[in-house]
Amino acid sequence: MEDMLPFQPSRPRRNRRNAAIRGLARETRLHPEQLIYPLFCVDGAGIEDPIGTLPGMARLSEDKLLAEIERSWNLGIRNFCLFPAVEEHLKDKTASHSWADDNFYLRIARNVKERFPECSLMSDVAMDPYSSDGHDGVVTEEGRIDNEATLPILARMSVAQAQAGFDWIGPSDMMDGRIGVIREALDENGYHETGILAYTAKYASAFYGPFRDALDSAPKSGDKKTYQMDPANVAEALRELEFDEMEGADIVMVKPALAYLDVIRAVKEHTALPVAAYNVSGEYALVKAGAAAGFLDAEAGMLEVLGAIRRAGADIILTYFAPDYAAWYKAQHG
Ligand code: PBG
């Protein structure tokens, strides 16, 4: 019979026959307990202020934030990261509101840990939400970002956050030497048990756009290229990794995720620490906007994106999809 295939004992399709078999052959899995859900908070009460460029996300006052954490908790999300949207009049050149006694962000963290003592809570350490310049470091008169002047500010911010009860201090600023300075300040103040989740390889990316809208934190002048990494580089990420490990990081992170899957892989292959990846605002917004425009299926897009980040080597993913993913996971697995 001339229409028969040549003899082929190996047939990859046999392992794709049905959903159960595909389940057996699946190489990559992602559990909701590997996710960290980033949330935006504001001072006040009863506020749920939608972020236009981040569909489904809003700036939340404490009451609404607690409700969102409870909803996500019931879906299986256990880890959360908070970002503060700070009123303009509280911003200054040294981000001094970040450690103020009446800082709403610290108050909210305290109350989240009181309501959900079993959750883990990650902070953001960087000057930009509190900076009148919109930069992650101190801006000098000549417009330079002053590394050494920034470090003690980050240390002070971190200690205030540890005191508020955050489990993870999350330095996202990319100043040189900050992990060591923060670790030392935490230890000197007795916070030996507070961890550092370091933004180890954080790139100067266009994909942070919606986040900067959410916090109104875009730089007032210039860009972040003198401290965030050049998207062209990967060896440099390993250099950052070496420093962060030496300085005492507990988890190392690559950010963004989708355009940096090779960096996630390289970092994973060079460290014994857990590796996190930040599926950032612009990456999330692309999928949501694409789905709204009818270009793709939102759920399938989410699964593919998170699966790819996991497959690249991320043990932990920060993602705005966290509750959506957990809801999907629950529907699949109960
Ligand atoms: C700033 C910070 C940024 C993000 C987290 N922390 C933006 C920036 O560096 O300008 C981006 C997160 C996202 O886009 O989801 N310290």
Side-chain angles (χ1 to χ4, degrees), residues 39-43 59-61 65 82-85 104-105 108:
L39 287 156
F40 300 96
C41 49
V42 286
D43 205 359
R59 284 167 285 251
L60 304 173
S61 56
L65 181 94
L82 303 182
F83 292 100
F104 72 97
Y105 179 69
I108 289 177

Side-chain angles (χ1 to χ4, degrees), residues 161-312:
Q161 293 173 350
Q163 190 177 14
F166 279 102
D167 301 280
W168 300 106
I169 301 300
S172 66
D173 54 284
M174 292 304 279
M175 295 303 124
D176 291 337
R178 79 239 202 259
I179 303 301
V181 166
I182 290 171
R183 186 68 268 164
E184 193 179 343
L186 292 175
D187 289 350
E188 270 172 7
N189 286 276
Y191 298 109
H192 306 280
E193 296 203 345
T194 304
I196 300 180
L197 197 164
Y199 288 64
T200 294
K202 174 172 177 182
Y203 290 85
S205 171
F207 290 95
Y208 306 148
F211 176 96
R212 291 178 189 171
D213 284 348
L215 299 192
D216 198 13
S217 65
K220 300 277 166 27
S221 67
D223 53 39
K224 299 192 173 185
K225 289 179 182 169
T226 69
Y227 45 105
Q228 297 182 347
M229 284 175 56
D230 184 335
N233 295 353
V234 59
E236 190 183 351
L238 300 179
R239 207 167 160 230
E240 289 280 5
L241 170 64
E242 205 176 306
F243 291 137
D244 283 2
E245 284 198 319
M246 220 164 54
E247 293 173 30
D250 300 285
I251 297 177
V252 291
M253 183 154 74
V254 174
K255 171 184 176 189
L258 276 187
Y260 300 89
L261 296 174
D262 59 323
V263 181
I264 296 172
R265 168 56 49 192
V267 167
K268 179 64 186 167
E269 284 173 1
H270 284 84
T271 187
L273 291 175
V275 174
Y278 200 143
N279 176 216
V280 299
S281 58
E283 299 174 334
Y284 166 89
L286 276 185
V287 175
K288 291 285 188 183
F295 295 165
L296 54 90
D297 180 77
E299 186 177 271
M302 165 187 76
L303 296 176
E304 201 169 325
V305 160
L306 295 179
I309 298 168
R310 172 84 188 104
R311 192 184 68 235

